[in-house]
Amino acid sequence: MPRPPTVFVCSACAHEASKWHGRCPGCGEWNTLAEEQRAPAAARGASPGGGSAGRASRPVRLADVRADRVARLRTGIGELDRVLGGGLVPGSLVLLGGSPGIGKSTLTSMALGNLAGAGRRTLYVSGEESAAQIRLRAERLPGAALEVPVLAETDLATVLATLEAERPEVCVIDSVQTLHCADLTGAAGSVGQVREVADRITRLAKVRDIAVLLVGHVTKEGALAGPRVLEHLVDCVLQFEGERERTYRTLRGLKNRFGSTNEAGVFEMRQGGLVEVQDASARFVGEATRAPGSVVLAAMEGSRPLLVEVQALVSPSDMVPPRRIANGIDRNRLALVLAVLGRHAGVGAGTADVFVNVAGGVRVDEPGADLAVALAVASAARGVAAGDGTRPIACFGEVGLTGELRSVAHPERRTAEAAKFGLAPVVGPEAGTLRAALRAALPGRSAARAA
Ligand SMILES: Nc1ncnc2c1ncn2[C@@H]1O[C@H](COP(=O)(O)OP(=O)(O)OP(=O)(O)O)[C@@H](O)[C@H]1O
Ligand SMILES: [Mg+2]
């Protein structure tokens, strides 16, 4: 019997190559090609397109397609339901990615517990933990977490057969990287395995109308581990972010076939599991200091305004080059803001170390954070508290390379959120330039430059 052909598949972009290359010809990443064995291709037919001959099917006018409005399955976790666009869609696949220990198993166990409590048929499949370990976690969770049936299994065929027999309405697979398909070579978690596992689960889920939450590992860089095709295959991709040692975690939608990807949910990890933080702004403003180097950023988390504290420290350094450390914002954005501050606003960090931190472990990925970073750094460098010194100052806006301030989305919602917490007036793009914003935010008290 002929040996099945060997192909090399890129774990980053799923590009296929016939031989091993150090660098993927598709996406240019290094050392991402992994060997995979394929079943021999079926003999080609003699159709003009070169593919196998098939029977023509009759296309249907969209207006004639039957589309029953199905009710969504609410997980009972408001923030998760909102990010999903109103709950789980029956028969859909949701991929939940996040770094180790962030709370993926906790979140999915809580969701299943709530669904089981609401009378839904559920199943928790774990390839990572034993049933006893899962029980220990469920004991500290609220709701009916202990009512959820659990299967500790890594063999894909067994999992599929169990799904077929049990026919749950909602199922969690924790994680897609731990399941193993015996028909393929390669260890569990390899590109081919992950793709096959996800593909077979998808097919069964669509036929049997099972909503599946697939838990996925992420790489060191924070991307979902496994082939990119995994993200195309599923209906929703959610990312659970935050730092393990911090309390706050953010759930974002990166892709959603049934809703907007603009939504984000904020959670806090407590003894009793993940708790939704609905008044995140109030928490962060309450915790904000009035010291030099602190300002409040009126950010947008999806379609919701969120006030977060941005802190900066500018301190003399012996290091060459000096340190530029950014937590919760993009490091390149910090470099840009520092350059504009020095060139157009007369605040040079020079040889000083600059640290910028978004309090609470929140990550802000929007250009509207620029002005907050600039004001926090200027305030820290001058040793002057922003605003009138009695309450924090709120701001937002993008900093342009010529020192101008640019408008960002939803200025009215940001201003209204700040006003709700008594932070008015807000320094924003209408100040015109970064220099003018600095004048407004840092009143002319003696400016002792740190650098
Ligand atoms: N008794 C407890 N009280 C408070 N927090 C706890 C407790 N037990 C566990 N945790 C928190 O839960 C986190 C683990 O959550 P979980 O197992 O859901 O993470 P995970 O994302 O599934 O991790 P992994 O990638 O290892 O599967 C721990 O990092 C810890 O912060
Ligand atoms: Mg886990």
Side-chain angles (χ1 to χ4, degrees):
M1 211 173 107
R3 259 171 63 81
T6 299
V7 288
F8 293 86
V9 183
C10 172
S11 59
C13 70
H15 180 93
E16 285 184 13
S18 57
K19 59 179 186 188
W20 193 82
H21 301 269
R23 189 176 192 178
C24 168
C27 65
E29 286 289 318
W30 287 93
N31 297 325
T32 50
L33 289 177
E35 191 175 350
E36 203 177 285
Q37 302 233 311
R38 282 286 160 80
R44 295 247 156 133
S47 75
S52 55
R55 269 221 324 241
S57 195
R58 197 180 156 79
V60 186
R61 201 166 66 104
L62 276 178
D64 300 330
V65 174
R66 248 192 81 183
D68 300 327
R69 295 266 168 266
V70 283
R72 294 197 182 220
L73 302 162
R74 296 206 168 261
T75 64
I77 305 173
E79 299 284 286
L80 174 61
D81 285 337
R82 209 160 47 77
V83 176
L84 286 169
L88 283 164
V89 173
S92 71
L93 254 89
V94 177
L95 179 61
L96 172 69
S99 39
I102 195 79
K104 302 178 294 296
S105 306
T106 307
L107 185 69
T108 47
S109 301
M110 285 172 68
L112 280 198
N114 291 345
L115 284 158
R120 300 286 182 182
R121 291 191 311 278
T122 59
L123 179 64
Y124 189 99
V125 178
S126 179
E128 303 204 327
E129 295 162 303
S130 67
Q133 278 175 304
I134 301 165
R135 184 196 158 118
L136 286 180
R137 177 184 308 102
E139 277 178 3
R140 71 177 177 97
L141 299 181
L146 286 168
E147 299 305 315
V148 176
V150 52
L151 174 73
E153 182 59 65
T154 55
D155 178 50
L156 177 66
T158 312
V159 171
L160 291 178
T162 311
L163 284 175
E164 190 66 78
E166 299 290 323
R167 298 274 177 95
E169 290 167 273
V170 189
C171 162
V172 169
I173 309 278
D174 190 3
S175 66
V176 65
Q177 276 88 2
T178 50
L179 291 200
H180 183 264
C181 171
D183 303 345
L184 285 186
T185 58
S190 65
V191 179
Q193 284 283 349
V194 169
R195 191 169 48 185
E196 189 67 16
V197 166
D199 187 48
R200 292 207 192 165
I201 292 175
T202 309
R203 275 186 275 157
L204 184 70
K206 299 281 172 208
V207 176
R208 298 289 177 227
D209 244 6
I210 306 170
V212 181
L213 273 160
L214 281 178
V215 174
H217 295 168
V218 294
T219 60
K220 260 205 310 259
E221 293 76 34
L224 272 157
R228 263 338 269 273
V229 279
L230 196 59
E231 289 173 51
H232 291 292
L233 201 71
V234 299
D235 300 300
C236 287
V237 180
L238 308 184
Q239 181 85 5
F240 208 18
E241 303 173 339
E243 286 159 48
R244 207 172 16 180
E245 51 288 351
R246 311 281 195 90
T247 27
Y248 296 108
R249 279 114 211 252
T250 322
L251 183 71
R252 275 175 222 282
L254 304 184
K255 160 182 169 174
N256 193 347
R257 287 190 179 143
F258 311 110
S260 147
T261 48
N262 280 334
E263 297 301 339
V266 182
F267 293 91
E268 191 179 349
M269 181 60 97
R270 295 230 195 113
Q271 170 68 29
L274 289 156
V275 180
E276 300 166 51
V277 181
Q278 273 143 354
D279 55 348
S281 289
R283 296 268 189 104
F284 295 138
V285 171
E287 289 167 6
T289 66
R290 285 115 183 93
S294 160
V295 297
V296 169
L297 163 67
M300 291 301 292
E301 272 288 354
S303 58
R304 265 197 323 182
L306 176 69
L307 303 178
V308 285
E309 183 189 9
V310 176
Q311 294 186 338
L313 174 69
V314 178
S315 124
S317 169
D318 300 329
M319 301 264 292
V320 181
R323 275 173 290 205
R324 302 284 187 251
I325 310 286
N327 279 319
I329 57 151
D330 180 21
R331 203 164 168 266
N332 293 328
R333 232 36 230 182
L334 171 63
L336 182 149
V337 168
L338 289 179
V340 177
L341 266 177
R343 187 76 180 77
H344 296 290
V347 184
T351 55
D353 285 338
V354 178
F355 304 88
V356 173
N357 193 12
V358 182
V362 177
R363 187 161 181 88
V364 187
D365 269 322
E366 61 147 342
D370 290 355
L371 183 57
V373 173
L375 294 184
V377 169
S379 162
R382 293 182 174 174
V384 174
D388 58 12
T390 57
R391 63 206 158 99
I393 193 160
C395 60
F396 65 91
E398 181 178 352
V399 171
L401 290 184
T402 61
E404 85 281 16
L405 291 182
R406 297 167 158 268
S407 46
V408 288
H410 307 300
E412 62 305 322
R413 287 206 213 159
R414 297 175 196 250
T415 316
E417 182 78 354
K420 204 162 100 188
F421 294 95
L423 307 183
V426 175
V427 182
E430 60 282 3
T433 62
L434 181 54
R435 197 179 273 274
L438 280 178
R439 270 201 302 273
L442 301 175
R445 275 174 250 157
S446 63
R449 297 244 178 117

